[in-house]
């Protein structure tokens, strides 16, 4: 496991992916976040995942709300359209964009304030809709951009910079997503790129709402002793239960895991996610056991990470709606307008 | 007594949920089919069952279809409102009641005629089951009115057949019920009444349609593919209508899959967010709502204004503030819609006056939203939206091409030296936009935070102001593109009447009536915002201007004052805001009061 | 003359409770809901519960959002202040009222549209805050007042009045509440007064957020799949006229049954709901077992009812805040204002 | 060169998160302690670390404290903005730079003096650790400025001691850093500069305070017990301040329990809902927010207006529309706040011009909200809210009693024959209210849906209108109770200047400057909405009126036009809306441009 201290993107010999692009082609503007901010590490992982998947950047739309986390779409995929919307309402904008053009690959980035307070209703409903969106919640347990207030993911007893403890129980986004029937649920840590990148790849390939809660320490307002979202605390309490290993369609699966420890999920395009169960009795396709396991670990003070649940029969929004497979923006106007003769005809109803 | 042929108004008082609207619709439609101009106003409560509901039908051979508050005949079937209903019959008029129970003798008026028809008794004898008895009682009064008013029985029969042709049992019951009422009246009473119908040919080129259905058709014809909404009275039927039309006209002929996506959002904040997302991605998208929805959409409307994203919003206005009277009409959101959201904003608004314009302006709204890359709000109201209006048939010009505005396609982007989202390339205040997923060179970052003309984040004063100034120019320039005001009159009268939306019919009628009395007025109905120069010109050309509108605070008048710069004292105000549609009497009273001639 | 028979609240011999009040003293205005509406039965149960607890009505504040369900606070406890707020935002208003005056006994009534769509974020946050409020969600799986749209609690496959099936998965409010750490979670049925009344009593006595989801059939707009079978004739008639505006007169649905048993309830349109009352030896203090149990039953197509979970160490909002035990409205102004001398003194900081 | 004693402006350019604000505060406070009028404007970015930030300090012995855009000395520590900063020094002025790295010789101006101080070098030599070196570099320039401007070293030393007295290590570093800067300048450069300080006694009765802290104090003194909020720049520090004051002054002396409740809501919709709930239950409750929050609160504000519930909202305005520039100032919410929500609404607004008024109007807002049973919005702005202003010490009248308005207590309810919530008993438009939990006879049903004067649900036109009309009367009558406009001048000038809020200082300074040049003007600053008669009177009394404000669309001017009825052409407009506070030069330019004498 590797922890990346600084948001550095490495370019070893500017290696090219299948479509001939280097990692640099997946970068964006220079970050304006604080040095050491967990969010920047997630940005780096996102860049890596897109590069590895050889996705053409311009086919992606990246959306966010408002917050330090929500700024990050500016820092990756400069050739993709970005949309920094309003606080907490990215899921609606993403739903609209996805409704209009299902051929876009959507990635949404949000913070714990953005997702679990002002945007909680929208998040839940995007899950319910099973919008085909990879949703990255950059969870630092604090309102970064407004300078350090408690968020809804701040744990009971966790202290702010003035040392005052939070008394309200926290919302665990992963439990919430599971209870709402999310079809893809993961938790990771900004400092664990090795774990995060394959989860992101799997999420991007998932047909439906892929929810990833990433613990992402705020070095400025929530990295002190007494905080349960600090680097130190997370490192100490993180418990990886499933390791995802994303295998693209054209690549063969090389190493074999021990029998009984592996679960393979085939994505809609034929690629495979191999889930290696670090904890033997963990089953990432059983929604209820996942829930129970996380709750148990929670009481032991452990933070379970990994690709925690993936539904094998996810029906994303457009499948439910019965839409045509193309983007609605591609339907020519003449196929949309019934014309004057039909207008004349249908008005018989109104006589 | 004087015969009043094809010129009277009746009102039916019943309770919600008893099925009277079938009967009311039947009467309306029958009159319409007789070729006689007619309108109906449904005054229903904000509940599902048991509260008072009224249906007003005005028949007018001259085609005046505004509401009139004077009723020649009232069908009083609701004990809870009986006294009020009795009081509303004009002197010399008629009251039809269910004579199964006796009238309260102590509360009767001597200047009206009571017509008893034993509706319940007859239906109890002829039908089995509580349901059917209640339902058919309503149909029976339709039959009774048929006889009293001389409704063409052939038309009634034909309509019933059209409606229930495929359900023989229902057809039979309905016909029986109509006959019960009809025959009872024929046999027991002097009929027809002096207020009665006579066939005409004035409705052949017209339809009876509600504004929400018409707006839905407009969205269909405009090529809208994404609809997002949250249910709210009186806007709900726009999306219900759109859904129905899409199910019929928007299926891929081969796969039967949908060429549209309708999202029932979790609330109005989400609905407008979806519209913005879909429009940003290149679809024509819209959301219908009412006042509370507009309040909730305010933040997002500011984003769309500043980030320059098209969005079409229908505000079917109802009585506010707050929840107010959700099933009553008003024009109370004029100011809010014009300037919704914090900071400096101004939005393009369209103001249909009837279902036909609701159709036309629905189409127009998408053209304007995409041309000017900004929200367009179509302000109809409950009266337009939910009542059946007689309007000329809708027509469509097959040469219509949607104005998608300045959108660069892949080839244009490929060919372009550079693309900057907010640059005023053409000097008209309107920048070029690109859609996601089209071309790498089109990419830019959309944000509601400070940005410069190149689309980059900025906190620099001058860069920030430059963009804001251009947007102001852009939106103001829409004044020349919104529908021009409707004008009538010689243009030389001393008095001008100015109005908006559904007050139209009442104003035109008042204008005609006043002309008869020798008072000539000119008339202007604004149809779009920002106002063009012609609006100011009209006001300037009249010594006295009356602004007629349906809200307490004179919101149209306020907009006129702010946007044309005319002095407040140049604009008299005529306002009705208690939930009822405007009537010609309201307008005349307002004008005449100021002429020293109290109406 | 009255057209429609309204559900009557019976007053057997006008019995008096400990404080000498009869049930009539706990009534409100006459309902304007449809005859047979489940919500009216819940109103009757609420009246019964308050009466049995001998609570002085004027000490209660009853709040709601907007919807048929949200109208019901007008129909009970006429001597209590009522607040019919805006759609979906009752939890905020209740939180404010509770913050100001913790001596008030708060009861909130909401619908599934009000609670699970527009108000979902507020509901979740009121749970998180553990506001001392009895929250009754009158769940009919439909938007009643706006005439029959799907709500977020509509099950997959359930059809609307036009026969179109819902494709989106439903939000199960009880699972949601449990996953958020609600301290009191129950589910009941409007027709089972015997079960509902004691749950309400327990909720009113609970110190913290007491969540009760009550299945409450909408006689006018609920229309499940399969309902055509036994009521074919009725439906055939109904279709046309419902669109007009006829609302049939219906009896309210009632069902009283024993703990541990399953009970099939036939709804107005002939569809069946399977209710299972928790066993007598069910342990309602284990949050995770409650969750698992509900999920299990769900997969069997059963709806578990009863008091499902109650936390034994609930700390309600004011306990967390460390407030004085009295209503803040009772603190005299002289104890709130530090006075001129102190103002002079504290300004040293600003020099 | 001319000496400019106690009359100059300097600007410090650095990057966010480097700790420069400690140094800037130190300089400000030292000048203030020297008895010299001073103001500071902090121009910070909307991020946490690394983006450009500026601090402007204006010293003016005459007490003019408006922003001035002309800088005598700039401390340029940010390479990213270096060129822009150099360009902003007035001709003949000075630029202080860190001479650790050489100046870019090709980009220098010849008309200014460059002052090199090797800040980084000195600090690298004296301190260990990256953090300390960066932090102390900032303190070192404070020392350098001390020497250049003649800041009293005793004051500097005393301040450092006060600040770090309890942290000896920090104290030592700070003192070392100050000495490094101070001594380097003293030893290597000619000092003081011709722009310099000299002790005065003009600040003894004043304090340096930001408006948010002052507003928080106002809420404390007004007896507010419930605060609900959602964090947003620039309003956050109101609740942070209130929390701090409550922790100190609102503990029960025996139990140490809280006599207040502060709820961090999940968003602004919830925050205003909580305020409404708490006010309804009888507490004084408030919420601080900024533009986006007001947009989101719109629906609830309409409820409070129509159901007549007190609510206090602070809108610390920032640059809009949308997210805009959250760390820049503006007055862009004037229209929104006056008429927020759908339907006909109008809200009482108060407009403080500085922290002292923020304190006073915070108190006043609760009195008005409870007296008129309606929302009151206090519109401050980022400049007032987050910058330290020199204002006269706050004072408190211990005889103050909160005006709780017409609230019936248990005894009154017990004695009353009947209680109807919305009845106009006194004929002043203000009904009586009762609180929950007090008395059975006080119970009523609060609703935003149609209700009549007895508080019952209604859909009756007349009953509905009656209540709405009374509310209009009620809110308009508040015009006589909001703070009267601030007036200055003989009242006989030809020209009137009208403004609002934080433009005050710039207007007063411009007035004085123009008077010097022989152009007399009268001045009025509105302080409350709805406007009283005196506002109209002022406009009427002047041939030419200039409305000075900080938004693009002339929102104050719009309000004046709508509410006083004066003709638009009677009001010239001077507008600055790029995020910077108004300066006297802005005002003068605007006025003089119209006098044919371009400034
Ligand atoms: C409507 C609205 N309210 C408040 C704000 C202020 N605001 C900006 S970011 C933010 C919270 C950010 O927290 P989070 O989402 O956790 O992101 P982080 O900065 O911690 O990554 C808030 C409250 C806003 N922009 N809009
Ligand atoms: C902001 C807003 N949007 C929409 C509405 C319209 N509306 C009134 S009630 C309702 C839904 C009611 O459904 P539910 O809460 O389930 O209550 P029910 O009538 O089914 O008991 C809606 C959408 C509204 N009043 N306010
Ligand atoms: S404040 Fe926290 S969340 Fe924001 S950029 Fe800095 S470290 Fe990251
Ligand atoms: S519509 Fe449904 S929920 Fe509303 S009152 Fe009627 S039965 Fe009850
Ligand atoms: Mg955060
Ligand atoms: Mg419902």
């Amino acid at each position: 496991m590797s922890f990346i201290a600084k948001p550095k993107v490495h370019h070893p010999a500017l290696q090219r992916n299948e479509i001939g692009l280097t990692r640099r082609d997946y970068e964006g503007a220079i970050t304006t976040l604080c040095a050491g901010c967990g969010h920047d590490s997630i940005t780096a992982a996102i860049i890596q995942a897109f590069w590895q998947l050889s996705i053409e950047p311009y086919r992606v739309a990246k959306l966010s709300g408002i917050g330090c986390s929500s700024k990050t779409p500016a820092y990756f995929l400069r050739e993709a359209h970005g949309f920094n919307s309003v606080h907490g309402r990215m899921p609606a904008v993403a739903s609209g964009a996805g409704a209009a053009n299902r051929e876009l690959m959507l990635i949404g980035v949000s913070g714990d304030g953005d997702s679990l307070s002002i945007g909680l209703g929208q998040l839940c409903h995007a899950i319910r809709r099973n919008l085909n969106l990879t949703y990255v919640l950059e969870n630092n347990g604090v309102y970064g951009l407004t300078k350090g207030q408690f968020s809804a993911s701040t744990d009971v007893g966790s202290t702010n910079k003035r040392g005052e403890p939070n008394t309200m129980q926290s919302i665990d986004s992963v439990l919430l997503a599971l209870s709402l029937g999310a079809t893809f649920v993961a938790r990771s840590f900004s400092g664990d790129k090795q774990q995060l990148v394959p989860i992101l790849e799997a999420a991007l390939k998932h047909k439906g709402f892929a929810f990833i809660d990433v613990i992402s320490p705020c070095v400025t307002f929530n990295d002190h002793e007494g905080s349960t979202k600090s680097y130190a605390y997370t490192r100490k309490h993180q418990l990886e239960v499933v390791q995802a290993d994303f295998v693209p369609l054209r690549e063969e699966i090389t190493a074999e895991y021990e029998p009984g420890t592996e679960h393979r999920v085939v994505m809609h395009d034929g690629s495979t996610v191999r889930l290696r169960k670090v904890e033997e009795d963990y089953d990432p396709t059983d929604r209820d056991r996942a829930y129970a396991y996380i709750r148990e670990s929670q009481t032991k003070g452990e933070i379970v990470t990994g690709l925690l649940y993936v539904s094998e029969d996810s029906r994303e929004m457009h499948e439910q709606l019965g839409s045509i497979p193309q983007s609605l923006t591609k339907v020519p106007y003449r196929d949309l307008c019934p014309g004057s003769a039909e207008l004349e005809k249908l008005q018989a109803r109104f006589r | 007594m004087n015969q009043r042929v094809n010129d009277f108004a009746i009102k039916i008082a019943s309770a919600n949920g008893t099925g009277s609207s079938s009967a009311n619709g039947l009467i309306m439609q029958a009159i319409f089919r007789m070729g006689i101009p007619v309108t109906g106003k449904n005054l229903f409560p904000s509940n599902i069952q048991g509260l008072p509901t009224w249906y007003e039908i005005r028949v007018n051979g001259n085609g005046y279809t505004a509401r009139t508050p004077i009723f020649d005949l009232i069908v009083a079937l609701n004990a809870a409102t009986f006294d009020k209903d009795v009081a509303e019959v004009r002197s010399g008029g008629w009251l039809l009641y269910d004579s199964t129970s006796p009238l309260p003798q102590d509360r009767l008026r001597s200047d009206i005629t009571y017509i008893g028809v034993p509706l319940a008794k007859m239906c109890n004898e002829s039908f089995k089951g509580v349901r059917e008895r209640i339902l058919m009682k309503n149909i029976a009064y339709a039959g009774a009115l048929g006889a009293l008013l001389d409704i063409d029985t052939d038309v009634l029969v034909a309509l019933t057949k059209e409606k229930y042709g495929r359900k023989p049992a229902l057809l039979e019951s309905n016909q029986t019920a109509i006959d019960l009422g009809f025959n009872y009246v024929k046999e027991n009473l002097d009929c027809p009444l002096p207020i009665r119908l006579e066939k005409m040919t004035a409705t052949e080129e017209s339809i009876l349609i509600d504004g929400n259905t018409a707006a839905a058709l407009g969205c269909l014809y405009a090529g809208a593919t994404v609809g997002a909404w949250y249910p709210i009275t009186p806007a709900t039927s726009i999306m219900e209508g759109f859904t129905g039309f899409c199910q019929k006209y928007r299926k891929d002929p081969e796969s039967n899959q949908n060429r549209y996506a309708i999202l029932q959002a979790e609330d109005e904040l989400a609905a407008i967010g979806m519209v913005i997302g879909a429009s940003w991605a290149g679809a024509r998208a819209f959301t219908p709502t009412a006042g509370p929805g507009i309040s909730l959409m305010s933040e997002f409307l500011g984003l769309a204004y500043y980030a320059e994203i098209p969005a079409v919003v229908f505000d079917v206005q109802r009585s506010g503030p707050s929840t107010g009277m959700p099933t009553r009409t008003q024009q109370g959101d004029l100011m809010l819609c014009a300037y919704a959201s914090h900071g400096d904003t101004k939005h393009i608004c369209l103001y249909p006056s009837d279902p036909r314009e609701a159709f036309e302006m629905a189409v127009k709204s998408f053209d304007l939203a995409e041309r000017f890359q900004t929200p367009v709000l179509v302000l109809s109201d409950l009266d337009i939206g939910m009542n059946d209006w007689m309007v000329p048939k809708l027509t469509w010009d097959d040469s219509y091409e949607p104005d998608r505005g300045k959108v660069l396609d892949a080839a244009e982007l490929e060919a372009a030296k550079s693309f900057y989202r907010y640059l005023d390339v053409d000097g008209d205040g309107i920048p070029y936009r690109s859609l996601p997923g089209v071309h790498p060179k089109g990419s830019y970052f959309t944000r509601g935070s400070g940005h410069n003309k190149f689309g980059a984040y900025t906190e620099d004063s001058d860069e920030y102001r430059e963009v804001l100034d251009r947007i102001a120019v852009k939106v103001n320039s829409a004044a020349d593109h919104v529908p021009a005001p409707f004008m009538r009159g010689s243009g030389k009268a001393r008095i001008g009447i100015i109005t908006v939306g559904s007050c139209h019919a009442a104003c035109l009628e008042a204008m005609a009536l006043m002309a008869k009395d020798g008072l000539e007025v000119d008339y202007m109905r604004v149809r779009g915002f920002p106002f063009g120069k012609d609006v100011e010109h009209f006001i300037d050309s009249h010594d006295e201007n009356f602004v007629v509108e349906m809200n307490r605070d004179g919101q149209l008048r306020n907009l006129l004052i702010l946007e044309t710069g005319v002095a407040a004292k140049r604009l008299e105000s005529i306002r009705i805001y208690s939930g009822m549609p405007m009537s010609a009497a309201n307008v005349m009273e307002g004008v005449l009061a100021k002429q020293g001639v109290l109406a």
Side-chain angles (χ1 to χ4, degrees), chain B residues 281-324:
Chain B
R284 289 195 147 185
F286 70 99
T287 182
T289 190
I294 303 289
S295 284
L296 289 171
M297 291 177 184
S298 293
E299 189 195 16
F300 252 133
L301 286 171
L303 172 78
Y305 172 83
Y306 181 45
E308 303 185 60
I309 303 167
V312 170
V313 179
F314 292 88
D315 177 7
V316 188
Q317 297 167 94
R318 62 190 215 183
S319 293
S322 197
T323 303

Side-chain angles (χ1 to χ4, degrees), chain B residues 499-525:
Chain B
T499 195
V500 68
S502 67
C503 302
H504 185 59
C507 289
L508 285 187
E509 186 178 352
M511 194 179 168
L513 290 171
M514 290 188 290
K516 257 205 211 153
D517 289 351
L519 185 65
E520 200 204 337
V521 304
D522 288 330
Y523 174 68
M524 170 175 73
R525 172 170 58 84

Side-chain angles (χ1 to χ4, degrees), chain A residues 26-344:
Chain A
Y26 290 83
E27 291 177 7
I30 290 168
T31 178
T32 59
L33 303 184
C34 304
C37 177
H39 301 347
D40 277 333
S41 308
I42 302 173
T43 296
I46 291 173
I47 290 170
Q48 180 75 12
F50 275 105
W51 179 78
Q52 283 180 195
L53 289 177
S54 294
I55 291 164
E56 284 169 290
Y58 82 94
R59 296 192 181 279
V60 178
K62 41 186 193 170
L63 301 103
S64 63
I66 300 283
C68 293
S69 34
S70 290
K71 289 182 176 184
T72 63
Y75 313 143
F76 59 84
L77 268 62
R78 78 172 70 75
E79 286 186 349
H81 270 58
F83 199 144
N84 199 183
S85 65
V86 293
H87 194 30
R89 318 290 176 194
M90 173 263 283
V93 178
S95 297
N101 184 352
R102 64 186 293 186
E103 297 175 52
L104 283 176
M105 182 169 239
L106 299 178
I107 178 165
V109 180
S110 177
D112 43 329
D114 200 64
S115 284
L116 302 181
S117 283
I118 190 166
L120 184 58
Q122 295 220 334
L123 168 61
C124 294
H125 279 270
I127 290 175
R128 177 167 180 253
R129 215 171 276 136
N130 206 14
L131 175 68
N132 195 7
L133 165 75
T134 295
Y135 190 102
V136 183
L137 196 171
E138 304 191 346
N139 193 344
N140 54 14
V142 79
Y143 285 25
L145 192 54
T146 51
K147 306 202 164 182
Q149 297 80 17
F150 290 135
S151 81
S153 75
T154 311
D155 293 310
V156 176
S158 190
T159 55
N160 65 9
K161 274 196 117 173
R162 283 187 300 229
E164 297 153 349
N166 169 45
T167 57
M168 267 198 284
Q169 63 182 317
S170 62
I171 295 178
D172 185 308
S173 67
V174 155
L175 291 181
L176 182 75
L178 285 171
S179 80
L180 290 166
T183 54
F184 182 113
V185 181
R187 171 164 277 152
S188 189
F189 174 40
S190 64
D192 189 353
K193 199 168 166 187
Q194 208 187 323
Q195 182 191 58
L196 181 54
V197 172
I199 289 178
L200 280 164
E201 291 181 277
L204 289 166
K205 288 291 177 184
H206 176 69
K207 230 179 174 175
F209 196 88
F211 181 76
I212 315 175
D213 180 287
V214 190
I215 294 162
S216 176
C218 169
V219 294
T220 304
F221 297 111
N222 203 13
D223 199 28
H224 45 268
E225 210 179 325
S227 156
T228 57
K229 294 275 190 301
S230 64
Y231 279 113
Y233 187 94
T234 310
R235 280 183 189 141
K236 200 161 126 203
H237 297 270
Q238 186 192 10
L239 168 72
E240 187 174 40
V241 293
V242 228
Q243 235 171 47
D245 177 8
F246 183 81
V247 188
L249 178 55
R250 283 167 295 271
E251 252 165 57
E252 66 178 311
I253 293 165
T254 48
E256 288 297 333
Y257 295 139
E258 269 172 51
T261 65
E262 186 195 87
H263 194 98
R264 294 186 188 189
V265 181
V266 180
M267 308 311 268
H268 64 105
D269 66 349
S271 55
T272 310
V273 184
R274 293 203 309 169
L275 299 167
R276 191 164 72 85
K277 295 181 272 183
V278 178
E279 289 289 307
E280 257 176 57
D281 58 351
Y282 193 88
D283 177 358
T285 63
D286 183 334
R287 166 179 162 187
D288 297 319
R289 285 195 28 217
Y291 185 98
Y293 191 91
I294 296 163
R295 280 287 298 155
E296 254 168 59
S297 311
Q298 227 174 35
T299 42
K300 288 188 274 177
E302 288 167 351
I303 305 164
V304 179
T305 63
L307 205 181
L308 302 170
Y309 171 66
V310 57
S311 157
E312 286 164 308
D313 47 85
S314 163
R315 289 186 71 219
E316 62 103 356
M317 185 181 79
H318 277 290
E319 290 177 279
Q320 294 176 35
L321 290 174
S323 320
I324 53 169
Q326 301 81 30
S327 167
L328 292 175
T329 59
K330 290 189 177 160
V331 184
Y333 175 66
R334 61 172 183 279
D335 289 344
L336 296 174
C337 178
S340 63
E342 188 57 40
L343 185 61
E344 170 68 28

Side-chain angles (χ1 to χ4, degrees), chain B residues 81-261:
Chain B
T81 62
F82 189 80
D83 289 349
K84 195 173 171 240
D85 295 329
V86 169
E88 283 202 349
V89 180
R90 73 155 163 86
S91 191
W94 296 266
L95 186 110
L96 192 159
Y97 69 99
D98 183 351
S99 58
T100 308
S101 321
L103 280 178
Q105 292 299 330
D106 52 329
R107 281 158 21 205
L108 302 185
R109 281 170 58 184
S110 57
D111 62 338
I112 61 173
T113 308
Y114 290 83
I115 306 174
V117 182
L119 296 166
K121 184 164 169 282
M122 295 190 305
C123 291
N124 289 350
E125 286 163 6
S126 306
F127 300 104
K128 283 194 258 327
V130 187
R131 275 176 52 77
E132 201 170 24
R133 285 172 175 173
I134 293 177
L135 268 176
M136 292 309 141
K137 206 177 83 172
N138 287 309
I139 304 297
Y141 75 62
L145 286 175
L148 287 169
L149 306 173
D150 238 359
I151 298 178
D152 191 330
T153 36
D154 293 347
V155 173
L156 273 183
V157 169
L159 277 173
T160 328
K161 277 200 181 134
E162 278 173 34
K163 221 168 161 185
Y164 304 109
R166 273 183 274 169
K167 289 168 189 158
L170 259 182
L171 177 61
E172 203 198 302
S173 318
N174 272 275
Q175 278 174 342
T176 310
I178 290 177
D179 290 346
L180 283 175
F182 192 90
N183 295 338
Y184 179 88
V185 170
K186 279 277 181 216
E187 285 158 26
N188 296 286
L189 301 162
D190 237 15
C191 60
L193 298 178
I195 51 164
R196 63 177 185 83
L197 301 163
E198 240 170 51
K199 272 200 173 170
M200 292 174 66
T201 55
T203 69
E204 266 153 38
E205 288 309 308
S206 296
I207 51 172
L208 267 187
I209 191 172
D210 66 78
N212 285 351
T213 303
L217 262 176
C219 295
L220 180 80
Y221 273 75
T225 51
V226 176
W229 70 304
Y230 189 69
I232 190 165
T233 308
T236 294
S237 51
I238 292 187
M239 199 56 88
E240 287 175 346
F242 185 71
T243 308
F245 291 126
C246 284
Q247 283 166 348
K248 179 145 185 211
Y249 296 109
R250 285 285 184 74
K251 291 285 183 180
D252 183 279
E254 270 141 53
S255 66
N256 203 35
Q257 285 167 330
N258 297 341
R259 285 168 166 167
Y260 65 93

